[in-house]
Protein backbone atom coordinates (compact mmCIF):
# COMPACT_ATOMS: atom_id res chain seq x y z
CA UNK A 1 0.00 0.00 0.00
CA UNK A 2 2.82 2.39 0.87
CA UNK A 3 4.54 1.64 -2.47
CA UNK A 4 1.32 2.34 -4.37
CA UNK A 5 0.82 5.61 -2.52
CA UNK A 6 4.44 6.65 -3.16
CA UNK A 7 4.11 5.81 -6.87
CA UNK A 8 0.90 7.83 -7.15
CA UNK A 9 2.50 10.74 -5.33
CA UNK A 10 5.54 10.75 -7.62
CA UNK A 11 3.35 10.47 -10.73
CA UNK A 12 1.09 13.27 -9.55
CA UNK A 13 4.06 15.50 -8.80
CA UNK A 14 5.59 14.83 -12.22
CA UNK A 15 2.30 15.65 -13.98
CA UNK A 16 1.85 18.78 -11.91
CA UNK A 17 5.34 20.05 -12.75
CA UNK A 18 4.92 19.23 -16.44
CA UNK A 19 1.60 21.09 -16.58
CA UNK A 20 3.16 24.10 -14.85
CA UNK A 21 5.98 24.30 -17.36
CA UNK A 22 3.59 24.08 -20.31
CA UNK A 23 1.23 26.70 -18.89
CA UNK A 24 3.97 29.27 -18.38
CA UNK A 25 5.71 28.61 -21.71
CA UNK A 26 4.58 31.31 -24.12
CA UNK A 27 6.61 29.92 -26.98
CA UNK A 28 8.35 31.97 -29.62
CA UNK A 29 7.20 35.49 -30.38
CA UNK A 30 5.59 36.08 -33.78
CA UNK A 31 6.51 38.96 -36.10
CA UNK A 32 3.43 40.92 -37.25
CA UNK A 33 3.09 44.06 -39.38
CA UNK A 34 0.26 46.46 -38.63
CA UNK A 35 -1.02 49.68 -37.15
CA UNK A 36 -1.16 50.79 -33.52
CA UNK A 37 -4.75 51.85 -32.95
CA UNK A 38 -7.39 51.79 -30.22
CA UNK A 39 -10.56 49.85 -29.47
CA UNK A 40 -13.02 52.64 -30.29
CA UNK A 41 -12.31 53.06 -33.99
CA UNK A 42 -9.87 50.16 -34.42
CA UNK A 43 -9.36 49.40 -38.14
CA UNK A 44 -10.70 52.82 -39.20
CA UNK A 45 -7.34 54.26 -38.12
CA UNK A 46 -5.26 51.56 -39.80
CA UNK A 47 -3.60 53.96 -42.19
CA UNK A 48 -1.66 57.16 -42.46
CA UNK A 49 -3.19 60.21 -40.84
CA UNK A 50 -4.89 58.57 -37.86
CA UNK A 51 -2.23 59.32 -35.27
CA UNK A 52 -3.93 62.33 -33.63
CA UNK A 53 -7.29 60.57 -33.35
CA UNK A 54 -5.71 57.40 -31.91
CA UNK A 55 -3.90 59.43 -29.25
CA UNK A 56 -7.05 61.40 -28.41
CA UNK A 57 -9.19 58.26 -28.07
CA UNK A 58 -6.62 56.56 -25.84
CA UNK A 59 -6.44 59.68 -23.64
CA UNK A 60 -10.24 59.48 -23.30
CA UNK A 61 -10.04 55.87 -22.08
CA UNK A 62 -10.06 53.63 -25.17
CA UNK A 63 -7.78 50.60 -24.91
CA UNK A 64 -4.74 50.32 -27.16
CA UNK A 65 -5.17 47.84 -30.01
CA UNK A 66 -3.12 46.48 -32.91
CA UNK A 67 -4.57 46.06 -36.42
CA UNK A 68 -2.87 43.23 -38.31
CA UNK A 69 -2.01 44.15 -41.93
CA UNK A 70 -2.51 40.59 -43.15
CA UNK A 71 -6.15 40.07 -42.20
CA UNK A 72 -7.19 43.39 -40.61
CA UNK A 73 -7.90 41.58 -37.33
CA UNK A 74 -7.96 43.81 -34.25
CA UNK A 75 -5.97 42.55 -31.27
CA UNK A 76 -6.09 44.11 -27.80
CA UNK A 77 -2.61 45.06 -26.53
CA UNK A 78 -2.24 43.62 -23.04
CA UNK A 79 0.91 45.63 -22.29
CA UNK A 80 0.24 49.07 -23.86
CA UNK A 81 3.37 50.61 -22.31
CA UNK A 82 5.40 48.61 -24.86
CA UNK A 83 3.79 50.64 -27.67
CA UNK A 84 3.72 54.03 -25.94
CA UNK A 85 4.79 56.71 -28.40
CA UNK A 86 3.74 54.60 -31.39
CA UNK A 87 0.04 55.50 -31.39
CA UNK A 88 -1.17 55.64 -35.01
CA UNK A 89 2.14 54.33 -36.38
CA UNK A 90 2.74 51.54 -38.89
CA UNK A 91 5.02 49.08 -37.08
CA UNK A 92 6.35 45.56 -36.92
CA UNK A 93 5.90 43.92 -33.54
CA UNK A 94 7.44 40.79 -32.07
CA UNK A 95 4.61 39.53 -29.90
CA UNK A 96 2.95 36.55 -28.29
CA UNK A 97 -0.54 36.22 -29.74
CA UNK A 98 -3.42 34.83 -27.69
CA UNK A 99 -5.95 33.87 -30.36
CA UNK A 100 -8.57 32.94 -27.78
CA UNK A 101 -8.49 36.33 -26.07
CA UNK A 102 -7.76 38.16 -29.34
CA UNK A 103 -4.83 39.91 -27.70
CA UNK A 104 -1.08 40.38 -28.05
CA UNK A 105 1.75 40.79 -25.58
CA UNK A 106 4.38 42.94 -27.31
CA UNK A 107 8.05 42.07 -26.79
CA UNK A 108 9.60 44.42 -29.39
CA UNK A 109 8.40 47.17 -31.74
CA UNK A 110 10.08 48.54 -34.87
CA UNK A 111 8.82 51.37 -37.08
CA UNK A 112 8.12 50.34 -40.66
CA UNK A 113 9.61 52.41 -43.48
CA UNK A 114 7.16 54.78 -45.14
CA UNK A 115 6.25 54.00 -48.73
Amino acid sequence: MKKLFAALLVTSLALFLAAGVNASDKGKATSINGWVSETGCAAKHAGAGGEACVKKCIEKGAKMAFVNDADKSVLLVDNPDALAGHEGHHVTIEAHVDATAKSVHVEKVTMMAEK
Side-chain angles (χ1 to χ4, degrees):
M1 187 67 159
K2 287 182 181 180
K3 288 183 182 182
L4 178 62
F5 179 76
L8 287 173
L9 182 62
V10 169
T11 302
S12 297
L13 181 60
L15 291 172
F16 176 76
L17 290 175
V21 169
N22 290 336
S24 65
D25 182 20
K26 290 183 177 182
K28 187 176 179 181
T30 303
S31 180
I32 311 168
N33 295 333
W35 293 87
V36 180
S37 189
E38 42 75 32
T39 54
C41 296
K44 290 179 187 176
H45 294 303
E51 184 176 342
C53 192
V54 171
K55 286 180 179 180
K56 185 172 147 183
C57 291
I58 289 173
E59 287 172 3
K60 288 184 176 182
K63 303 288 184 195
M64 187 176 286
F66 183 80
V67 181
N68 186 337
D69 278 349
D71 61 5
K72 302 299 182 217
S73 60
V74 178
L75 303 167
L76 185 66
V77 179
D78 68 6
N79 61 332
D81 291 343
L83 292 176
H86 290 286
E87 297 87 349
H89 292 170
H90 199 210
V91 299
T92 299
I93 60 171
E94 296 289 328
H96 299 281
V97 179
D98 184 341
T100 305
K102 295 184 181 179
S103 67
V104 292
H105 182 87
V106 178
E107 297 294 328
K108 181 181 175 185
V109 60
T110 307
M111 288 287 292
M112 291 184 67
E114 291 185 37
K115 293 181 181 178

